[in-house]
Amino acid sequence: MEYVLSEKVKTLKPSAIREIFKYAADPSVVSLSAGNPSPEAFPVKEIAEISNEILTKNPVAALQYSVTEGYAPLRETVRNFMKNTYNIGRENDELIITSGAQQVMDLFTKSTCNEGDTVICEAPSFIGSLNSFRSYNTRLCGIPLEKDGMNIEALEKALKTEKNIRFIYIIPNFQNPSGVTTSLEKRKKIYKLAKKYNVMIFEDNPYGELRISGENVPSIKSFDEDGIVAYVGSFSKILSPGMRVGFVVAPKQIVSKMIVCKQGQDVHTNIWAQMVAHKFMTEYDFNGHLANLRKIYKKKAEFCMDLLDKYLVPNKITYDKIEGGLFIWCRLPENVDMVDFCKQAVQRKVCVVPGNAFLTDEKEQSQCFRINFSTPTDEQLEKGIRILGELAKEIL
Amino acid sequence: MEYVLSEKVKTLKPSAIREIFKYAADPSVVSLSAGNPSPEAFPVKEIAEISNEILTKNPVAALQYSVTEGYAPLRETVRNFMKNTYNIGRENDELIITSGAQQVMDLFTKSTCNEGDTVICEAPSFIGSLNSFRSYNTRLCGIPLEKDGMNIEALEKALKTEKNIRFIYIIPNFQNPSGVTTSLEKRKKIYKLAKKYNVMIFEDNPYGELRISGENVPSIKSFDEDGIVAYVGSFSKILSPGMRVGFVVAPKQIVSKMIVCKQGQDVHTNIWAQMVAHKFMTEYDFNGHLANLRKIYKKKAEFCMDLLDKYLVPNKITYDKIEGGLFIWCRLPENVDMVDFCKQAVQRKVCVVPGNAFLTDEKEQSQCFRINFSTPTDEQLEKGIRILGELAKEIL
């Protein structure tokens, strides 16, 4: 039989990162290519304790069907936390629990985009989101990312000239892959432009709690008096990614459609995980846990940056210091073939992600590659960066 | 701001059943409208035991990111079980784990249908699937369901005349809502027709393990030598629906696209739940558990049918005996307004689902309503059916 595929999926491919993971699976390879939270950041003992209590005292609630919008006590708790801590959520907003933040990428795109519509995003940006947008056959329009966020002129030009723009996708804190944090000034400019051109902002903030230095910058959603921002949060980096729990705060008119789509997509999010997240937030020292996470990641990030300073030849591989998140973005000189460099690194048993994987068109050129420091052990990190430095010395 | 919604979701509405659930939430109302497995069917003690073991001995694996295709040991176990028990799965087939069977509805439709394409389904059929198909703006074409399955003449006529048909959706065992089991003869005819007209079959079998009488009928997928059937299974009725674990067995060409879509939809299914399902299947008496389930449901179903025989006035409300599943389909005389009957039942504090909710167009007429017997207690079941009988006596 010749299988008929929809136009949406015909050209869809697994992300380039997945191909790289195949090398990374080789135990002799040092993988700096993942994006996993550090296992030491999981509150393992507490989760086991909570889970055991739920499954002993209230098993049927944790095993039975539940409601699509999410476990009511968790919704309430997250709603209050976001409102009280970050001033996120207004009268016309609704918060629902999703199967990881990734599900919001799908539901929001499905609810707002027809095939051929345009999505504006940072260039580079998170592959998982780009692929979700692609899976609805949208057109991606990348705006060059500077040290303090998107190039505002390029953004306004795109808003003026592109057709059927549905939203601007932005990861404002410690962006994946670039590590860039968008300045407050630019956040305000982006908000103003979105309002002017009647386009929504899709604000994705998975790493917001992982700030290791500098001051918190208010989220765009926190000054959204016009109801033009959909905000996405996640428990993946602060509790556990395997549980697949995320949430969205957005205007009711959109969320009501996302709920119907979610009902047809997975009925509801795993209810055990929602109950665990709720108990962890309410019966344990949640803020203390977040402070501890920041301590873990600060140590890891600073160790990584020290290694980069130690092993990388200045002016051969450069990088920008980060204030949080899980990634560091390294840049090769203009005349170097970045993909070839990454391939040679793999041959020497170090795996990084080539920067073009994060562009709206993978065929575009990039001089950068991404390093992750949260997954490898300190020993692996040192070995990997030492080898990258040796390689750079030899061939650059 | 005026929110722009995609054409796909503009007309999407929460299922009629959800509206009914609002009444059902009133504790004074006897709900016969749910579709929840019986809580006594959950292996609560075993799940708590397994979960505790995983979170104590192997917590990081249960909490970290995992692969999109599903937990490898669970895939292997389910693949072998389906092959050895039901002869499901051929060389060109692939099995992946999904976030409940519901996710397969979404992924399969997304991978195979463009907007405006046609999906053939039984009339009546499962609302959750219909809504998933609708969410991709497909056209639904309902084929009248008879006591032994779809009307074959109507099916062939549709295959001949409808345009861009992508698949035939069928729940062959103890169908939701009708309780109908498609005969082997009709399964073969449907397969032959699908092959002749080059259309895939989407076989959904959530209740297959819940047979309480009669002989097992081979699934369509078991004689799929041509690679034209996608088979969907679920752990919701045999382990726990709150865990959201299902699976699909289908030709690789389609599954490879479903994997990419799933990656953009939720990255992977909650890994704790997958590990629990795997340990339950391999380290406990899985077949003994299934036998026990059948005992529980047999008792419930027979109790319900006895009540229907006792309280319903013959020739006023009729129903067909079932051989398994969770639902019984009741029929009112031709001259009765079914929706009005259901409304009056709600006023008397009994909630059933009006049959038109299960049609491809809810505005079509139906003389039927659906009763569920797995969720209510025996007392609730008796009270509910007694009231329905009294109502029928008074107004019919």
Side-chain angles (χ1 to χ4, degrees):
Chain A
M1 182 174 197
E2 203 182 311
Y3 300 105
V4 179
L5 297 170
S6 73
E7 292 301 323
K8 293 184 285 298
V9 305
K10 258 184 194 161
T11 59
L12 271 192
K13 279 179 206 142
S15 79
I17 279 197
R18 278 170 68 96
E19 300 306 308
I20 291 161
F21 281 167
K22 282 180 192 160
Y23 298 107
D26 174 351
S28 75
V29 169
V30 174
S31 170
L32 308 179
S33 57
N36 291 359
S38 176
E40 55 179 317
F42 300 156
V44 164
K45 205 180 118 268
E46 292 82 352
I47 292 175
E49 216 171 85
I50 294 170
S51 173
N52 201 28
E53 195 195 330
I54 291 170
L55 291 173
T56 313
K57 289 194 188 157
N58 201 8
V60 172
L63 299 174
Q64 189 55 280
Y65 277 118
S66 187
V67 291
T68 306
E69 292 87 340
Y71 181 55
L74 179 62
R75 288 177 76 196
E76 182 67 14
T77 302
V78 178
R79 197 186 292 122
N80 290 337
F81 180 82
M82 295 312 292
K83 182 70 191 164
N84 299 336
T85 318
Y86 299 113
N87 192 27
I88 283 174
R90 297 288 186 281
E91 180 114 23
N92 188 49
D93 283 321
E94 187 84 86
L95 182 150
I96 60 168
I97 306 295
T98 56
S99 301
Q102 185 68 50
Q103 191 177 39
V104 184
M105 305 306 144
D106 185 291
L107 297 175
F108 186 72
T109 314
K110 185 168 183 177
S111 298
T112 60
C113 294
N114 291 313
E115 295 188 36
D117 282 354
T118 302
V119 169
I120 291 182
C121 53
E122 297 160 309
S125 188
F126 171 49
I127 305 180
S129 297
L130 300 187
N131 278 348
S132 201
F133 307 152
R134 288 179 178 123
S135 79
Y136 287 99
N137 226 351
T138 59
R139 258 176 37 74
L140 301 183
C141 170
I143 307 296
L145 200 54
E146 300 166 330
K147 282 179 204 288
D148 60 346
M150 277 189 262
N151 179 303
I152 297 294
E153 289 69 42
L155 174 62
E156 178 145 30
K157 192 179 160 204
L159 286 167
K160 261 188 195 153
T161 55
E162 296 287 334
K163 281 188 186 146
N164 299 321
I165 302 169
R166 287 294 154 257
F167 57 82
I168 302 165
Y169 174 67
I170 171 168
I171 306 171
N173 294 312
F174 332 123
Q175 201 241 21
N176 178 2
S178 69
V180 164
T181 294
T182 300
S183 67
L184 180 58
E185 200 193 334
K186 280 207 172 170
R187 292 181 195 212
K188 286 187 172 161
K189 281 184 181 164
I190 292 167
Y191 184 82
K192 225 171 140 181
L193 283 174
K195 195 179 160 185
K196 179 175 169 190
Y197 290 95
N198 208 33
V199 161
M200 287 198 79
I201 293 172
F202 191 25
E203 183 178 27
D204 184 13
N205 190 22
Y207 316 108
E209 297 291 351
L210 305 184
R211 176 174 284 282
I212 59 167
S213 66
E215 285 297 307
N216 179 55
V217 185
S219 74
I220 305 177
K221 185 68 180 163
S222 73
F223 44 82
D224 178 25
E225 301 299 341
D226 304 284
I228 63 172
V229 183
Y231 176 94
V232 193
S234 172
F235 279 88
S236 290
K237 274 77 192 180
I238 57 177
L239 190 57
S240 143
M243 288 167 69
R244 311 305 307 125
V245 182
F247 61 92
V248 58
V249 187
K252 282 175 185 162
Q253 293 87 337
I254 310 274
V255 173
S256 66
K257 295 299 181 181
M258 292 172 72
I259 293 169
V260 186
C261 289
K262 179 170 166 63
Q263 206 184 4
Q265 200 165 88
D266 64 3
V267 189
H268 64 80
T269 295
N270 179 295
I271 179 71
W272 166 85
Q274 294 188 70
M275 291 173 85
V276 170
H278 170 248
K279 271 191 185 286
F280 186 74
M281 281 186 84
T282 53
E283 296 177 13
Y284 288 73
D285 179 12
F286 186 59
N287 286 317
H289 168 69
L290 295 180
N292 185 45
L293 284 188
R294 283 186 279 267
K295 221 157 69 184
I296 292 170
Y297 285 110
K298 186 181 171 69
K299 205 173 141 225
K300 278 250 169 205
E302 288 178 349
F303 179 67
C304 181
M305 291 191 279
D306 287 346
L307 290 171
L308 291 170
D309 295 339
K310 177 175 170 188
Y311 289 112
L312 298 191
V313 188
N315 302 325
K316 294 250 161 136
I317 305 181
T318 57
Y319 75 96
D320 293 317
K321 299 271 174 194
I322 56 160
E323 296 195 333
L326 307 178
F327 305 107
I328 293 176
W329 193 232
C330 298
R331 183 176 300 272
L332 293 165
E334 286 305 316
N335 60 331
V336 176
D337 183 333
M338 180 276 300
V339 174
D340 181 65
F341 181 87
C342 294
K343 279 185 185 157
Q344 292 206 44
V346 165
Q347 279 160 15
R348 298 189 185 202
K349 309 276 186 189
V350 183
C351 199
V352 298
V353 187
N356 61 317
F358 303 96
L359 297 176
T360 56
D361 180 353
E362 280 185 19
K363 286 181 209 106
E364 278 178 74
Q365 211 200 308
S366 166
Q367 290 308 106
C368 300
F369 60 88
R370 190 191 76 177
I371 281 183
N372 162 265
F373 56 80
S374 57
T375 318
T377 62
D378 287 355
E379 293 67 35
Q380 288 169 328
L381 209 50
E382 173 134 23
K383 184 179 170 193
I385 292 174
R386 182 174 47 73
I387 293 172
L388 288 179
E390 287 165 6
L391 178 62
K393 259 181 224 161
E394 283 177 41
I395 69 167
L396 299 190
Chain B
M1 183 175 196
E2 204 182 311
Y3 299 105
V4 179
L5 298 170
S6 73
E7 293 300 324
K8 295 183 284 297
V9 305
K10 259 185 194 161
T11 59
L12 270 192
K13 278 179 207 143
S15 80
I17 278 197
R18 278 171 66 96
E19 300 305 307
I20 290 160
F21 281 168
K22 285 182 190 159
Y23 298 108
D26 173 352
S28 74
V29 168
V30 173
S31 170
L32 308 179
S33 57
N36 290 0
S38 178
E40 55 180 316
F42 299 156
V44 165
K45 205 179 118 270
E46 291 82 352
I47 292 176
E49 217 170 84
I50 294 169
S51 172
N52 201 28
E53 195 195 329
I54 291 171
L55 290 173
T56 313
K57 288 193 191 158
N58 200 9
V60 172
L63 300 175
Q64 189 55 282
Y65 277 118
S66 186
V67 291
T68 305
E69 293 85 341
Y71 181 55
L74 179 62
R75 288 177 76 197
E76 181 66 16
T77 302
V78 177
R79 196 185 293 121
N80 289 338
F81 180 83
M82 296 312 293
K83 183 70 192 165
N84 299 336
T85 320
Y86 299 113
N87 192 27
I88 283 174
R90 298 289 186 279
E91 179 114 21
N92 188 48
D93 283 321
E94 187 83 86
L95 182 149
I96 61 167
I97 305 296
T98 58
S99 301
Q102 185 70 50
Q103 192 177 39
V104 184
M105 306 306 145
D106 185 292
L107 298 175
F108 187 72
T109 314
K110 186 168 182 175
S111 299
T112 59
C113 294
N114 291 314
E115 295 189 35
D117 282 354
T118 301
V119 168
I120 291 182
C121 53
E122 297 163 308
S125 187
F126 170 49
I127 304 179
S129 296
L130 300 187
N131 278 348
S132 201
F133 306 152
R134 286 177 179 127
S135 80
Y136 287 98
N137 227 350
T138 59
R139 260 175 36 73
L140 301 183
C141 170
I143 307 297
L145 200 55
E146 298 167 331
K147 282 179 205 286
D148 59 347
M150 278 190 261
N151 178 303
I152 297 293
E153 289 69 40
L155 174 61
E156 179 147 29
K157 192 178 160 207
L159 286 167
K160 262 188 195 152
T161 56
E162 297 286 335
K163 281 187 186 145
N164 298 322
I165 302 170
R166 287 296 154 254
F167 57 82
I168 302 166
Y169 175 66
I170 172 169
I171 307 171
N173 293 313
F174 332 123
Q175 201 242 18
N176 178 4
S178 69
V180 163
T181 294
T182 299
S183 66
L184 180 58
E185 199 193 335
K186 280 207 172 170
R187 292 180 194 212
K188 288 187 171 161
K189 281 185 180 164
I190 292 166
Y191 184 83
K192 226 172 139 181
L193 282 174
K195 194 178 161 185
K196 179 173 169 190
Y197 289 94
N198 208 32
V199 160
M200 288 199 77
I201 293 174
F202 191 25
E203 182 177 29
D204 184 13
N205 190 22
Y207 316 109
E209 296 290 352
L210 305 185
R211 175 173 285 281
I212 59 169
S213 66
E215 286 296 308
N216 179 55
V217 185
S219 74
I220 303 176
K221 185 67 180 162
S222 73
F223 44 82
D224 178 25
E225 302 298 341
D226 304 283
I228 62 171
V229 183
Y231 177 94
V232 192
S234 172
F235 280 88
S236 290
K237 275 76 192 180
I238 57 176
L239 189 58
S240 144
M243 288 167 69
R244 313 304 307 125
V245 182
F247 61 92
V248 59
V249 187
K252 282 174 184 165
Q253 293 87 337
I254 309 275
V255 173
S256 67
K257 295 297 180 181
M258 293 172 72
I259 293 170
V260 186
C261 289
K262 179 168 167 62
Q263 207 188 359
Q265 201 165 87
D266 64 2
V267 189
H268 64 79
T269 295
N270 179 294
I271 179 71
W272 165 85
Q274 296 188 69
M275 291 173 85
V276 170
H278 169 249
K279 272 192 182 285
F280 186 73
M281 282 186 84
T282 53
E283 297 178 13
Y284 288 74
D285 179 12
F286 186 58
N287 286 317
H289 168 68
L290 295 179
N292 186 45
L293 283 188
R294 284 187 277 269
K295 220 157 71 182
I296 292 171
Y297 285 110
K298 185 180 171 72
K299 206 173 141 221
K300 278 252 169 203
E302 287 178 349
F303 179 68
C304 181
M305 291 191 277
D306 287 347
L307 290 171
L308 290 168
D309 294 339
K310 177 175 168 189
Y311 289 113
L312 297 190
V313 188
N315 302 324
K316 294 248 160 136
I317 305 181
T318 56
Y319 75 96
D320 292 318
K321 300 271 176 195
I322 56 160
E323 295 194 334
L326 307 178
F327 305 106
I328 292 176
W329 193 231
C330 298
R331 182 176 301 275
L332 293 165
E334 286 304 317
N335 59 333
V336 175
D337 182 331
M338 179 276 299
V339 173
D340 181 66
F341 180 87
C342 293
K343 279 185 185 160
Q344 291 205 44
V346 165
Q347 278 159 16
R348 296 188 186 202
K349 308 276 185 189
V350 183
C351 199
V352 299
V353 187
N356 60 319
F358 303 95
L359 296 175
T360 56
D361 180 353
E362 280 186 18
K363 287 180 206 106
E364 278 178 72
Q365 212 199 307
S366 166
Q367 289 310 107
C368 300
F369 59 88
R370 190 191 76 176
I371 281 181
N372 162 264
F373 56 80
S374 57
T375 318
T377 63
D378 287 356
E379 294 67 35
Q380 289 169 329
L381 209 50
E382 172 132 26
K383 185 178 168 194
I385 291 174
R386 180 173 49 72
I387 293 173
L388 288 179
E390 288 165 6
L391 178 63
K393 259 180 222 160
E394 283 177 40
I395 69 168
L396 300 189

